[in-house]
Amino acid sequence: EADIYQTPRYLVIGTGKKITLECSQTMGHDKMYWYQQDPGMELHLIHYSYGVNSTEKGDLSSESTVSRIRTEHFPLTLESARPSHTSQYLCASSGLGAASSYEQYFGPGTRLTVT
Amino acid sequence: GENVEQHPSTLSVQEGDSAVIKCTYSDSASNYFPWYKQELGKRPQLIIDIRSNVGEKKDQRIAVTLNKTAKHFSLHITETQPEDSAVYFCAGGGNNRLAFGKGNQVVVIP
């Protein structure tokens, strides 16, 4: 079934550790996004990509980095996790292959806690 | 860039009544305005959207209106039901990226 997947769903990690949050979509979309969201609060765009080898920073300053080597895969990496990174991270995709190229589809999210 | 503002922050309605959420946007170049519903612990899901060349769109109990001149758009939910209780986000932008509002908590009182 075409969908957007995120792993892990929950992660508790100590300060200073390097982590990678995975996002994959099987919808054939060309655009992908990472948002940071505290529960029930505003969605902040932190990174986006228009296609392979394209990455852009979003509106919220973030110490994370992203890569887009394959169309379906858009991982987010934190080189050194800090308690201020504790939040939910939502991946989304849109574009070619969708009924409406404008609509963004969200993954289930990764809830990150940094101790 | 686009800035989307959303009011009020919390809305309580009696079951069966209507709920209206209003948003304003800043960038006249924005041409796409979706509304997302997010239930507790779940991902945001699109419930309705509107393009800038349309003034109103309806889907069963949900409707969206757009006023390009005033740069505002609204979500209307009629005959509210308990399952309508959620956080609703408006957004504005275009094909490449969206700016989201801060969200409205809607509580439907049985």
Side-chain angles (χ1 to χ4, degrees):
Chain A
E1 180 182 343
D3 204 347
I4 181 164
Y5 303 92
Q6 290 186 244
T7 58
R9 293 293 312 279
Y10 303 92
L11 180 62
V12 180
I13 200 163
T15 297
K17 297 292 185 183
K18 178 180 178 179
I19 56 171
T20 296
L21 307 184
E22 300 288 347
C23 176
S24 294
Q25 51 96 4
T26 57
M27 308 178 88
H29 290 166
D30 55 339
K31 301 180 186 69
M32 296 188 74
Y33 312 83
W34 276 103
Y35 293 89
Q36 184 176 339
Q37 183 192 34
D38 292 327
M41 304 293 284
E42 187 175 2
L43 288 90
H44 296 282
L45 180 67
I46 49 176
H47 295 283
Y48 58 103
S49 167
Y50 296 142
V52 171
N53 294 325
S54 149
T55 61
E56 303 284 346
K57 288 188 180 294
D59 304 318
L60 183 67
S61 176
S62 173
E63 294 155 342
S64 58
T65 59
V66 291
S67 62
R68 189 91 183 275
I69 298 172
R70 302 197 320 264
T71 301
E72 64 273 18
H73 193 215
F74 191 41
L76 181 143
T77 298
L78 276 168
E79 291 292 333
S80 180
R82 294 210 302 264
S84 60
H85 295 138
T86 295
S87 189
Q88 174 165 253
Y89 292 83
L90 288 164
C91 182
S93 68
S94 72
L96 296 175
S100 164
S101 65
Y102 288 53
E103 180 180 350
Q104 291 189 18
Y105 295 80
F106 284 85
T110 293
R111 192 173 296 279
L112 173 65
T113 302
V114 183
T115 61
Chain B
E2 177 62 276
N3 180 46
V4 174
E5 295 195 0
Q6 194 168 349
H7 306 280
S9 58
T10 302
L11 181 62
S12 296
V13 295
Q14 289 292 136
E15 182 177 356
D17 286 352
S18 295
V20 181
I21 304 170
K22 298 179 181 179
C23 288
T24 60
Y25 64 98
S26 62
D27 189 350
S28 56
S30 291
N31 60 358
Y32 176 64
F33 305 93
W35 285 89
Y36 283 83
K37 175 183 180 183
Q38 187 177 29
E39 296 176 72
L40 189 64
K42 296 189 176 180
R43 70 183 85 182
Q45 296 214 311
L46 181 77
I47 55 171
I48 196 166
D49 57 11
I50 193 167
R51 301 280 183 98
S52 59
N53 59 348
V54 176
E56 184 175 358
K57 184 177 177 181
K58 189 173 181 181
D59 183 3
Q60 299 182 343
R61 297 187 296 109
I62 295 171
V64 56
T65 58
L66 171 66
N67 183 326
K68 287 194 297 181
T69 304
K71 294 202 188 94
H72 67 72
F73 56 113
S74 300
L75 176 72
H76 305 254
I77 307 173
T78 59
E79 301 172 20
T80 53
Q81 299 168 5
E83 54 264 38
D84 295 329
S85 294
V87 178
Y88 291 81
F89 293 94
C90 62
N95 193 27
N96 291 330
R97 53 180 292 178
L98 296 173
F100 283 81
K102 293 186 177 182
N104 288 103
Q105 175 77 54
V106 173
V107 178
V108 179
I109 304 165

